[in-house]
mmCIF file with all atom_site columns, all heavy atoms in Angstrom:
data_model
loop_
_atom_site.group_PDB
_atom_site.id
_atom_site.type_symbol
_atom_site.label_atom_id
_atom_site.label_alt_id
_atom_site.label_comp_id
_atom_site.label_asym_id
_atom_site.label_entity_id
_atom_site.label_seq_id
_atom_site.pdbx_PDB_ins_code
_atom_site.Cartn_x
_atom_site.Cartn_y
_atom_site.Cartn_z
_atom_site.occupancy
_atom_site.B_iso_or_equiv
_atom_site.pdbx_formal_charge
_atom_site.auth_seq_id
_atom_site.auth_comp_id
_atom_site.auth_asym_id
_atom_site.auth_atom_id
_atom_site.pdbx_PDB_model_num
ATOM 1   N N   . TYR A 1 3  ? 7.116  10.781 -56.732 1.00 85.00 ? 1404 TYR A N   1
ATOM 2   C CA  . TYR A 1 3  ? 6.500  9.503  -56.281 1.00 85.00 ? 1404 TYR A CA  1
ATOM 3   C C   . TYR A 1 3  ? 7.193  8.941  -55.033 1.00 85.00 ? 1404 TYR A C   1
ATOM 4   O O   . TYR A 1 3  ? 6.532  8.417  -54.157 1.00 85.00 ? 1404 TYR A O   1
ATOM 5   C CB  . TYR A 1 3  ? 6.554  8.483  -57.448 1.00 85.00 ? 1404 TYR A CB  1
ATOM 6   C CG  . TYR A 1 3  ? 5.773  8.969  -58.651 1.00 85.00 ? 1404 TYR A CG  1
ATOM 7   C CD1 . TYR A 1 3  ? 6.447  9.164  -59.881 1.00 85.00 ? 1404 TYR A CD1 1
ATOM 8   C CD2 . TYR A 1 3  ? 4.372  9.056  -58.608 1.00 85.00 ? 1404 TYR A CD2 1
ATOM 9   C CE1 . TYR A 1 3  ? 5.667  9.612  -60.959 1.00 85.00 ? 1404 TYR A CE1 1
ATOM 10  C CE2 . TYR A 1 3  ? 3.633  9.445  -59.713 1.00 85.00 ? 1404 TYR A CE2 1
ATOM 11  C CZ  . TYR A 1 3  ? 4.308  9.760  -60.863 1.00 85.00 ? 1404 TYR A CZ  1
ATOM 12  O OH  . TYR A 1 3  ? 3.649  10.183 -61.911 1.00 85.00 ? 1404 TYR A OH  1
ATOM 13  N N   . ALA A 1 5  ? 8.726  10.757 -52.730 1.00 82.00 ? 1406 ALA A N   1
ATOM 14  C CA  . ALA A 1 5  ? 8.306  11.632 -51.649 1.00 82.00 ? 1406 ALA A CA  1
ATOM 15  C C   . ALA A 1 5  ? 6.864  11.360 -51.193 1.00 82.00 ? 1406 ALA A C   1
ATOM 16  O O   . ALA A 1 5  ? 6.571  11.308 -49.974 1.00 82.00 ? 1406 ALA A O   1
ATOM 17  C CB  . ALA A 1 5  ? 8.420  13.156 -52.054 1.00 82.00 ? 1406 ALA A CB  1
ATOM 18  N N   . THR A 1 6  ? 5.997  10.975 -52.098 1.00 86.00 ? 1407 THR A N   1
ATOM 19  C CA  . THR A 1 6  ? 4.676  10.706 -51.799 1.00 86.00 ? 1407 THR A CA  1
ATOM 20  C C   . THR A 1 6  ? 4.567  9.327  -51.046 1.00 86.00 ? 1407 THR A C   1
ATOM 21  O O   . THR A 1 6  ? 3.828  9.258  -50.063 1.00 86.00 ? 1407 THR A O   1
ATOM 22  C CB  . THR A 1 6  ? 3.774  10.576 -53.058 1.00 86.00 ? 1407 THR A CB  1
ATOM 23  O OG1 . THR A 1 6  ? 3.858  11.856 -53.825 1.00 86.00 ? 1407 THR A OG1 1
ATOM 24  C CG2 . THR A 1 6  ? 2.370  10.315 -52.740 1.00 86.00 ? 1407 THR A CG2 1
ATOM 25  N N   . PHE A 1 15 ? 2.527  6.636  -38.883 1.00 93.00 ? 1416 PHE A N   1
ATOM 26  C CA  . PHE A 1 15 ? 2.970  6.788  -37.500 1.00 93.00 ? 1416 PHE A CA  1
ATOM 27  C C   . PHE A 1 15 ? 2.651  8.229  -36.960 1.00 93.00 ? 1416 PHE A C   1
ATOM 28  O O   . PHE A 1 15 ? 2.358  8.353  -35.757 1.00 93.00 ? 1416 PHE A O   1
ATOM 29  C CB  . PHE A 1 15 ? 4.480  6.579  -37.420 1.00 93.00 ? 1416 PHE A CB  1
ATOM 30  C CG  . PHE A 1 15 ? 4.931  5.161  -37.758 1.00 93.00 ? 1416 PHE A CG  1
ATOM 31  C CD1 . PHE A 1 15 ? 5.465  4.897  -39.036 1.00 93.00 ? 1416 PHE A CD1 1
ATOM 32  C CD2 . PHE A 1 15 ? 4.643  4.113  -36.900 1.00 93.00 ? 1416 PHE A CD2 1
ATOM 33  C CE1 . PHE A 1 15 ? 5.830  3.603  -39.359 1.00 93.00 ? 1416 PHE A CE1 1
ATOM 34  C CE2 . PHE A 1 15 ? 5.039  2.768  -37.344 1.00 93.00 ? 1416 PHE A CE2 1
ATOM 35  C CZ  . PHE A 1 15 ? 5.599  2.602  -38.539 1.00 93.00 ? 1416 PHE A CZ  1
ATOM 36  N N   . LEU A 1 19 ? 0.382  9.352  -33.530 1.00 95.00 ? 1420 LEU A N   1
ATOM 37  C CA  . LEU A 1 19 ? 1.189  9.934  -32.465 1.00 95.00 ? 1420 LEU A CA  1
ATOM 38  C C   . LEU A 1 19 ? 0.694  11.366 -32.195 1.00 95.00 ? 1420 LEU A C   1
ATOM 39  O O   . LEU A 1 19 ? 0.742  11.795 -30.982 1.00 95.00 ? 1420 LEU A O   1
ATOM 40  C CB  . LEU A 1 19 ? 2.659  10.032 -32.985 1.00 95.00 ? 1420 LEU A CB  1
ATOM 41  C CG  . LEU A 1 19 ? 3.586  8.955  -32.512 1.00 95.00 ? 1420 LEU A CG  1
ATOM 42  C CD1 . LEU A 1 19 ? 4.920  9.077  -33.228 1.00 95.00 ? 1420 LEU A CD1 1
ATOM 43  C CD2 . LEU A 1 19 ? 3.687  8.866  -31.020 1.00 95.00 ? 1420 LEU A CD2 1
ATOM 44  N N   . TYR A 1 30 ? -2.187 16.597 -19.393 1.00 96.00 ? 1431 TYR A N   1
ATOM 45  C CA  . TYR A 1 30 ? -0.944 16.869 -18.682 1.00 96.00 ? 1431 TYR A CA  1
ATOM 46  C C   . TYR A 1 30 ? -0.795 18.330 -18.254 1.00 96.00 ? 1431 TYR A C   1
ATOM 47  O O   . TYR A 1 30 ? -0.328 18.610 -17.079 1.00 96.00 ? 1431 TYR A O   1
ATOM 48  C CB  . TYR A 1 30 ? 0.228  16.430 -19.573 1.00 96.00 ? 1431 TYR A CB  1
ATOM 49  C CG  . TYR A 1 30 ? 1.578  16.810 -19.037 1.00 96.00 ? 1431 TYR A CG  1
ATOM 50  C CD1 . TYR A 1 30 ? 2.105  16.066 -17.881 1.00 96.00 ? 1431 TYR A CD1 1
ATOM 51  C CD2 . TYR A 1 30 ? 2.450  17.786 -19.595 1.00 96.00 ? 1431 TYR A CD2 1
ATOM 52  C CE1 . TYR A 1 30 ? 3.300  16.337 -17.360 1.00 96.00 ? 1431 TYR A CE1 1
ATOM 53  C CE2 . TYR A 1 30 ? 3.628  18.066 -19.075 1.00 96.00 ? 1431 TYR A CE2 1
ATOM 54  C CZ  . TYR A 1 30 ? 4.108  17.389 -17.992 1.00 96.00 ? 1431 TYR A CZ  1
ATOM 55  O OH  . TYR A 1 30 ? 5.325  17.656 -17.406 1.00 96.00 ? 1431 TYR A OH  1
ATOM 56  N N   . TYR A 1 41 ? 2.698  15.980 -12.221 1.00 95.00 ? 1442 TYR A N   1
ATOM 57  C CA  . TYR A 1 41 ? 3.309  16.818 -13.364 1.00 95.00 ? 1442 TYR A CA  1
ATOM 58  C C   . TYR A 1 41 ? 4.780  16.521 -13.549 1.00 95.00 ? 1442 TYR A C   1
ATOM 59  O O   . TYR A 1 41 ? 5.147  16.261 -14.686 1.00 95.00 ? 1442 TYR A O   1
ATOM 60  C CB  . TYR A 1 41 ? 3.035  18.298 -13.020 1.00 95.00 ? 1442 TYR A CB  1
ATOM 61  C CG  . TYR A 1 41 ? 3.552  19.219 -14.131 1.00 95.00 ? 1442 TYR A CG  1
ATOM 62  C CD1 . TYR A 1 41 ? 2.775  19.571 -15.209 1.00 95.00 ? 1442 TYR A CD1 1
ATOM 63  C CD2 . TYR A 1 41 ? 4.859  19.780 -14.060 1.00 95.00 ? 1442 TYR A CD2 1
ATOM 64  C CE1 . TYR A 1 41 ? 3.178  20.380 -16.210 1.00 95.00 ? 1442 TYR A CE1 1
ATOM 65  C CE2 . TYR A 1 41 ? 5.308  20.611 -15.076 1.00 95.00 ? 1442 TYR A CE2 1
ATOM 66  C CZ  . TYR A 1 41 ? 4.421  20.866 -16.165 1.00 95.00 ? 1442 TYR A CZ  1
ATOM 67  O OH  . TYR A 1 41 ? 4.915  21.689 -17.225 1.00 95.00 ? 1442 TYR A OH  1
ATOM 68  N N   . PHE A 1 44 ? 5.412  12.657 -14.580 1.00 96.00 ? 1445 PHE A N   1
ATOM 69  C CA  . PHE A 1 44 ? 5.061  12.294 -15.931 1.00 96.00 ? 1445 PHE A CA  1
ATOM 70  C C   . PHE A 1 44 ? 5.866  13.092 -16.968 1.00 96.00 ? 1445 PHE A C   1
ATOM 71  O O   . PHE A 1 44 ? 5.698  12.756 -18.180 1.00 96.00 ? 1445 PHE A O   1
ATOM 72  C CB  . PHE A 1 44 ? 3.557  12.549 -16.099 1.00 96.00 ? 1445 PHE A CB  1
ATOM 73  C CG  . PHE A 1 44 ? 2.964  11.856 -17.367 1.00 96.00 ? 1445 PHE A CG  1
ATOM 74  C CD1 . PHE A 1 44 ? 2.768  10.485 -17.361 1.00 96.00 ? 1445 PHE A CD1 1
ATOM 75  C CD2 . PHE A 1 44 ? 2.581  12.592 -18.469 1.00 96.00 ? 1445 PHE A CD2 1
ATOM 76  C CE1 . PHE A 1 44 ? 2.319  9.896  -18.506 1.00 96.00 ? 1445 PHE A CE1 1
ATOM 77  C CE2 . PHE A 1 44 ? 2.090  12.007 -19.590 1.00 96.00 ? 1445 PHE A CE2 1
ATOM 78  C CZ  . PHE A 1 44 ? 1.904  10.665 -19.571 1.00 96.00 ? 1445 PHE A CZ  1
ATOM 79  N N   . ILE A 1 50 ? 9.255  12.741 -24.119 1.00 97.00 ? 1451 ILE A N   1
ATOM 80  C CA  . ILE A 1 50 ? 9.550  11.667 -25.091 1.00 97.00 ? 1451 ILE A CA  1
ATOM 81  C C   . ILE A 1 50 ? 8.420  11.688 -26.140 1.00 97.00 ? 1451 ILE A C   1
ATOM 82  O O   . ILE A 1 50 ? 8.726  11.552 -27.363 1.00 97.00 ? 1451 ILE A O   1
ATOM 83  C CB  . ILE A 1 50 ? 9.650  10.312 -24.398 1.00 97.00 ? 1451 ILE A CB  1
ATOM 84  C CG1 . ILE A 1 50 ? 10.958 10.244 -23.542 1.00 97.00 ? 1451 ILE A CG1 1
ATOM 85  C CG2 . ILE A 1 50 ? 9.665  9.192  -25.406 1.00 97.00 ? 1451 ILE A CG2 1
ATOM 86  C CD1 . ILE A 1 50 ? 11.071 8.972  -22.733 1.00 97.00 ? 1451 ILE A CD1 1
ATOM 87  N N   . LEU A 1 51 ? 7.227  11.808 -25.814 1.00 96.00 ? 1452 LEU A N   1
ATOM 88  C CA  . LEU A 1 51 ? 6.095  11.828 -26.766 1.00 96.00 ? 1452 LEU A CA  1
ATOM 89  C C   . LEU A 1 51 ? 6.276  13.146 -27.601 1.00 96.00 ? 1452 LEU A C   1
ATOM 90  O O   . LEU A 1 51 ? 5.968  12.993 -28.806 1.00 96.00 ? 1452 LEU A O   1
ATOM 91  C CB  . LEU A 1 51 ? 4.794  11.902 -26.016 1.00 96.00 ? 1452 LEU A CB  1
ATOM 92  C CG  . LEU A 1 51 ? 3.520  11.839 -26.829 1.00 96.00 ? 1452 LEU A CG  1
ATOM 93  C CD1 . LEU A 1 51 ? 3.490  10.583 -27.739 1.00 96.00 ? 1452 LEU A CD1 1
ATOM 94  C CD2 . LEU A 1 51 ? 2.256  11.889 -25.986 1.00 96.00 ? 1452 LEU A CD2 1
ATOM 95  N N   . PHE A 1 58 ? 8.536  12.391 -36.262 1.00 91.00 ? 1459 PHE A N   1
ATOM 96  C CA  . PHE A 1 58 ? 7.786  12.002 -37.402 1.00 91.00 ? 1459 PHE A CA  1
ATOM 97  C C   . PHE A 1 58 ? 6.958  13.053 -38.085 1.00 91.00 ? 1459 PHE A C   1
ATOM 98  O O   . PHE A 1 58 ? 6.719  13.011 -39.253 1.00 91.00 ? 1459 PHE A O   1
ATOM 99  C CB  . PHE A 1 58 ? 6.799  10.853 -36.951 1.00 91.00 ? 1459 PHE A CB  1
ATOM 100 C CG  . PHE A 1 58 ? 7.402  9.589  -36.581 1.00 91.00 ? 1459 PHE A CG  1
ATOM 101 C CD1 . PHE A 1 58 ? 7.671  9.178  -35.323 1.00 91.00 ? 1459 PHE A CD1 1
ATOM 102 C CD2 . PHE A 1 58 ? 7.790  8.700  -37.613 1.00 91.00 ? 1459 PHE A CD2 1
ATOM 103 C CE1 . PHE A 1 58 ? 8.242  7.940  -35.034 1.00 91.00 ? 1459 PHE A CE1 1
ATOM 104 C CE2 . PHE A 1 58 ? 8.385  7.462  -37.351 1.00 91.00 ? 1459 PHE A CE2 1
ATOM 105 C CZ  . PHE A 1 58 ? 8.615  7.089  -36.066 1.00 91.00 ? 1459 PHE A CZ  1
ATOM 106 N N   . PRO A 1 61 ? 9.382  15.758 -40.702 1.00 89.00 ? 1462 PRO A N   1
ATOM 107 C CA  . PRO A 1 61 ? 9.651  15.263 -42.110 1.00 89.00 ? 1462 PRO A CA  1
ATOM 108 C C   . PRO A 1 61 ? 8.424  15.090 -42.975 1.00 89.00 ? 1462 PRO A C   1
ATOM 109 O O   . PRO A 1 61 ? 8.436  15.315 -44.101 1.00 89.00 ? 1462 PRO A O   1
ATOM 110 C CB  . PRO A 1 61 ? 10.275 13.877 -41.801 1.00 89.00 ? 1462 PRO A CB  1
ATOM 111 C CG  . PRO A 1 61 ? 10.789 13.961 -40.489 1.00 89.00 ? 1462 PRO A CG  1
ATOM 112 C CD  . PRO A 1 61 ? 9.933  14.773 -39.756 1.00 89.00 ? 1462 PRO A CD  1
ATOM 113 N N   . ASP A 1 63 ? 5.916  17.247 -42.907 1.00 88.00 ? 1464 ASP A N   1
ATOM 114 C CA  . ASP A 1 63 ? 5.721  18.573 -43.405 1.00 88.00 ? 1464 ASP A CA  1
ATOM 115 C C   . ASP A 1 63 ? 6.611  18.920 -44.645 1.00 88.00 ? 1464 ASP A C   1
ATOM 116 O O   . ASP A 1 63 ? 6.123  19.451 -45.638 1.00 88.00 ? 1464 ASP A O   1
ATOM 117 C CB  . ASP A 1 63 ? 5.900  19.622 -42.365 1.00 88.00 ? 1464 ASP A CB  1
ATOM 118 C CG  . ASP A 1 63 ? 4.764  19.583 -41.259 1.00 88.00 ? 1464 ASP A CG  1
ATOM 119 O OD1 . ASP A 1 63 ? 3.719  19.031 -41.587 1.00 88.00 ? 1464 ASP A OD1 1
ATOM 120 O OD2 . ASP A 1 63 ? 5.038  20.127 -40.142 1.00 88.00 ? 1464 ASP A OD2 1
ATOM 121 N N   . LEU A 1 68 ? 7.370  18.852 -50.719 1.00 80.00 ? 1469 LEU A N   1
ATOM 122 C CA  . LEU A 1 68 ? 8.051  18.309 -51.921 1.00 80.00 ? 1469 LEU A CA  1
ATOM 123 C C   . LEU A 1 68 ? 7.100  17.602 -52.834 1.00 80.00 ? 1469 LEU A C   1
ATOM 124 O O   . LEU A 1 68 ? 7.277  17.559 -54.035 1.00 80.00 ? 1469 LEU A O   1
ATOM 125 C CB  . LEU A 1 68 ? 9.181  17.327 -51.514 1.00 80.00 ? 1469 LEU A CB  1
ATOM 126 C CG  . LEU A 1 68 ? 10.425 17.967 -50.860 1.00 80.00 ? 1469 LEU A CG  1
ATOM 127 C CD1 . LEU A 1 68 ? 11.391 16.793 -50.403 1.00 80.00 ? 1469 LEU A CD1 1
ATOM 128 C CD2 . LEU A 1 68 ? 11.150 18.846 -51.903 1.00 80.00 ? 1469 LEU A CD2 1
#
Side-chain angles (χ1 to χ4, degrees):
Y1404 297 113
T1407 304
F1416 298 103
L1420 265 176
Y1431 175 70
Y1442 182 84
F1445 196 73
I1451 289 171
L1452 184 61
F1459 286 102
D1464 290 339
L1469 287 176

